[in-house]
Amino acid sequence: MPTDLSPVIAASTRWLLAAFPPAAGPLDHALAEAQASHAVTIAAALRYPTALDAELLHLLGPGGSARLDSVTGADAHPLEGAAHAWRTSVDETVVSWAACLLADAELAVVAAACLAATHHGAHAVGDARRLTIPSPRDQRAAPLLRHPDLLGPIAALHREVLHALLGTAPVDS
């Protein structure tokens, strides 16, 4: 039974990097991708905590990026054809939760600690320090991806559900 979340993780990470591009340069892109990937992986593991949840995801599909594109204004131009087919593998809730984690390192620490309660295990992400303890270099590599105000509309889509799941109180914004 496939319980692999990698298609959703890859597509959702790609969406975040397209919507909130990193600073110029290959090192900045790699650092931003690592941060986005950690956030998306944690969010996906929390969203699909059991093997059955992952199986249902494979059966029903993640829903795509249409609402996210609408919120960011990316739907102004038609995103059709094979070049945009990856967008069908984007999970709106996963992206929203990842945006919450990218904007709030303390929340990311709590979320990473909660991975132990999933079938993915506590080490599903490995060392997520770039997400939970971002260095100044990490911040410079992903200024848009880590900016709470820019991430706000995406994070707001499903923030309350994430806070309820983690047992935390949302910060007033």
Side-chain angles (χ1 to χ4, degrees), residues 4-146:
D4 185 19
L5 299 176
S6 59
V8 167
I9 292 169
S12 297
T13 299
R14 183 175 176 182
W15 189 91
L16 277 167
L17 291 172
F20 305 100
L27 178 59
D28 288 332
H29 187 275
L31 291 173
E33 185 175 15
Q35 294 173 67
S37 180
H38 286 149
V40 168
T41 302
I42 290 170
L46 293 173
R47 173 94 165 116
Y48 303 103
T50 68
L52 179 58
D53 292 320
E55 286 299 319
L56 288 171
L57 169 66
H58 289 287
L59 180 66
L60 302 174
S65 68
R67 184 170 175 205
L68 296 167
D69 293 337
S70 175
V71 169
T72 60
D75 64 344
H77 307 298
L79 300 172
E80 300 171 352
H84 299 287
W86 63 270
R87 291 176 174 276
T88 62
S89 293
V90 173
D91 185 297
E92 176 187 309
T93 302
V94 168
V95 170
S96 177
W97 289 3
C100 292
L101 302 179
L102 286 160
D104 184 348
E106 292 177 11
L107 184 63
V109 170
V110 173
C114 290
L115 288 180
T118 71
H119 89 280
H120 308 286
H123 302 292
V125 179
D127 184 8
R129 284 192 337 224
R130 294 203 185 283
L131 175 65
T132 58
I133 311 169
S135 71
R137 181 70 181 99
D138 293 325
Q139 296 282 0
R140 284 192 309 273
L144 304 179
L145 192 62
R146 300 298 295 223

